Each structure stands twice: as structure tokens, then as C-alpha cells.
């Protein structure tokens, strides 16, 4: 069976209980998720998160070398990946602490498999949008299936890098996509040193999609952070 867009997302589990890791992995795998990674300690989780770049983290609160809260603080230094906390039953303070740190949700142990899946899908659906084949911008449309921009009755082709860049921004409609994330999308696992090239691609795209490239309204620079794409409904 073909995977849905959300089922292709990478989920990272952090828990020091092997049985729980096995159970959560099985719940996700049985529903179609195949890209699952795991860690059992804070130290290992930081390293795995940097290497694997997951799309969603499910963190236990209690870990042998720290806790999920300290882990989230460390992870937030290099990624804004959405986080679900696993909390012990009736520990309301844990829930409040996790949400106070910016966690997206919490799940109380023990939990039903369907509850876990519903919360996972809800967060993935909110954080990641599959790019439509055709999107409308101010003054033009972009057809990803043809790698073309249509503006003022003209058809303007997109290069491969421009296509990837625009598609990545479209999947994160209205949200800031960091410079590092865009460089990684364009150049793979070793994206460092490509920021000038990224900026050059952005300038070329603006020439193709913007009515006034020097005053962009669709592909917006967020100074010091990255870019975002404003799509018309």
C-alpha cells in the first residue's frame, strides 16, 4: 500500500523502557510509519536527533541521565521539531512543565494506541503540509508537476534547485523555514557553506514569481532566520 505524505515522516522515540519503545514502534509501524528511530538517554537522543533530523519527537519525561524537559531545551538549540511528551499518570506538574517549554502535546501513560496515533497525525498534519501540484501566488501560479511558473500569459521554467526550494517552502506554507533546513533540502546532509548559493536561488525565483522582485510579497525574507512563502487561497 502506498504511504501517505504524513506516514513518510520520521518519528523519533526517546524512552529508557525497552518494552515501551517496542510497543510504540509497533503501533506506529502497524499504521504505516516505517521511518522510526529511537534513543534511551538524553545524551544519545541529542546525537541521534542531530544525525537523523526527525520530523516529530516523542519524549519520555523520566530518563536515566536527565529528563525530557532538559532534553527539549538542548534540542531547541538546533531544531524546532514538534514534540510530544509522555507523562506519568496524574502528574499534572509534568504536563504543565512540558507545555510551558513549548511542547505540542502530551500523552498520559498508560495510553490507548488509537489515542497515540490520533495525536501524532494531528501534529504532523498541523506542522507539515503536502504541496499541491499547483499553487497560487500574488500575480502568478506555480505548477510543480511541470516545474513552471505562469505569469502575465507567459510560461517560465523552474530549474531543479528552484523547484525543490519552492516546494519545500510550499509544504511549510506561511511558516518560517530556516536557512539550514533549506540548504539541507537543496544540498543534502552537508548543507554548511551554501547560504550564498541559497540566496542566489531565492533572487532568481523572485525574478520569476514576484510582480516586483525588489519588493517581494510571496517569497519573504525573515531576517536572521530564513524564508517563508505566502500562498493565496
Amino acid at each position: 500500500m502506498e504511504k501517505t505524505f504524513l506516514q513518510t515522516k520520521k518519528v523519533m522515540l526517546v524512552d529508557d523502557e525497552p518494552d515501551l519503545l517496542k510497543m510504540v514502534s509497533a503501533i506506529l509501524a502497524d499504521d504505516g510509519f516505517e521511518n522510526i528511530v529511537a534513543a534511551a538517554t538524553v545524551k544519545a537522543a541529542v546525537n541521534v536527533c542531530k544525525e537523523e533530523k526527525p520530523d516529530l519527537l516523542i519524549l519520555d519525561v523520566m530518563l536515566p541521565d536527565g529528563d525530557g524537559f532538559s532534553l527539549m531545551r538542548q534540542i531547541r538549540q538546533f531544531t524546532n521539531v514538534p514534540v510530544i511528551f509522555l507523562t506519568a499518570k496524574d502528574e499534572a506538574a509534568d504536563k504543565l512543565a512540558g507545555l510551558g517549554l513549548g511542547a505540542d502535546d502530551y500523552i498520559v501513560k498508560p495510553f490507548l494506541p488509537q489515542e497515540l496515533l490520533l495525536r501524532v497525525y494531528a501534529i504532523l498534519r498541523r506542522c507539515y503540509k503536502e504541496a499541491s501540484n499547483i499553487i497560487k501566488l500574488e500575480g502568478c501560479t506555480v505548477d510543480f508537476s511541470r516545474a513552471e511558473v505562469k505569469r502575465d500569459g507567459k510560461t517560465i521554467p523552474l530549474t531543479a534547485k528552484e523547484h525543490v526550494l519552492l516546494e519545500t517552502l510550499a509544504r511549510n506554507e506561511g511558516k518560517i523555514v530556516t536557512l539550514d533546513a533549506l540548504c539541507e533540502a537543496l544540498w543534502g546532509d552537508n548543507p554548511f557553506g551554501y547560504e550564498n548559493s541559497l540566496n542566489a536561488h531565492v533572487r532568481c525565483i523572485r525574478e520569476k514569481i514576484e510582480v516586483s522582485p525588489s519588493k517581494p510579497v510571496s517569497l519573504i525574507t525573515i531576517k536572521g532566520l530564513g524564508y517563508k512563502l505566502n500562498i493565496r487561497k
Side-chain angles (χ1 to χ4, degrees), residues 6-14 24 28 33 35-39 45 48-49 52-59 75-76 79-86 102-107 115-128:
L6 297 181
Q7 288 169 335
T8 65
K9 294 300 179 184
K10 183 181 294 186
V11 180
M12 180 175 168
L13 313 175
V14 183
V24 175
L28 294 170
F33 289 90
N35 211 349
I36 303 168
V37 295
V48 173
C49 191
E52 296 289 341
K53 299 177 177 62
D55 300 298
L56 173 67
L57 289 175
I58 301 178
L59 308 181
I75 287 172
R76 279 290 176 261
T79 179
N80 287 319
V81 61
V83 171
I84 297 175
F85 271 115
L86 295 177
D104 296 82
D105 204 349
Y106 64 86
I107 299 175
E115 177 190 9
L116 171 69
L117 290 171
L118 286 173
R119 291 173 184 255
V120 165
Y121 277 115
I123 290 173
L124 290 176
R125 195 174 293 113
R126 186 169 70 243
C127 295
Y128 304 101

Side-chain angles (χ1 to χ4, degrees), residues 131-135 142-146 167:
S132 170
N133 281 338
I134 298 177
I135 60 172
V142 179
D143 187 338
F144 288 112
S145 65
R146 296 177 178 273
E167 195 170 42

Side-chain angles (χ1 to χ4, degrees), residues 31-80:
D31 202 67
F33 289 90
E34 292 183 348
N35 211 349
I36 303 168
V37 295
T41 66
V42 170
K43 183 178 180 180
V46 171
N47 292 331
V48 173
C49 191
K50 287 181 177 178
E51 293 175 3
E52 296 289 341
K53 299 177 177 62
D55 300 298
L56 173 67
L57 289 175
I58 301 178
L59 308 181
D60 189 13
V61 171
M62 301 304 297
L63 295 168
D65 58 341
D67 57 50
F69 306 139
S70 63
L71 172 57
M72 184 173 174
R73 290 188 191 97
Q74 293 182 58
I75 287 172
R76 279 290 176 261
Q77 295 177 16
F78 59 88
T79 179
N80 287 319

Side-chain angles (χ1 to χ4, degrees), residues 7 47 92 108 114 169-170 181-182 206 208 211 215 231:
Q7 288 169 335
N47 292 331
V108 176
Q114 192 60 29
L169 289 165
L182 290 171
R206 283 175 172 157
K208 297 178 180 183
V211 174
K215 298 178 180 179
I231 297 176

Side-chain angles (χ1 to χ4, degrees), residues 92-113:
D94 283 350
K95 303 174 192 177
L96 294 174
L99 294 174
L101 286 172
D104 296 82
D105 204 349
Y106 64 86
I107 299 175
V108 176
K109 300 178 185 178
F111 51 83
L112 297 173

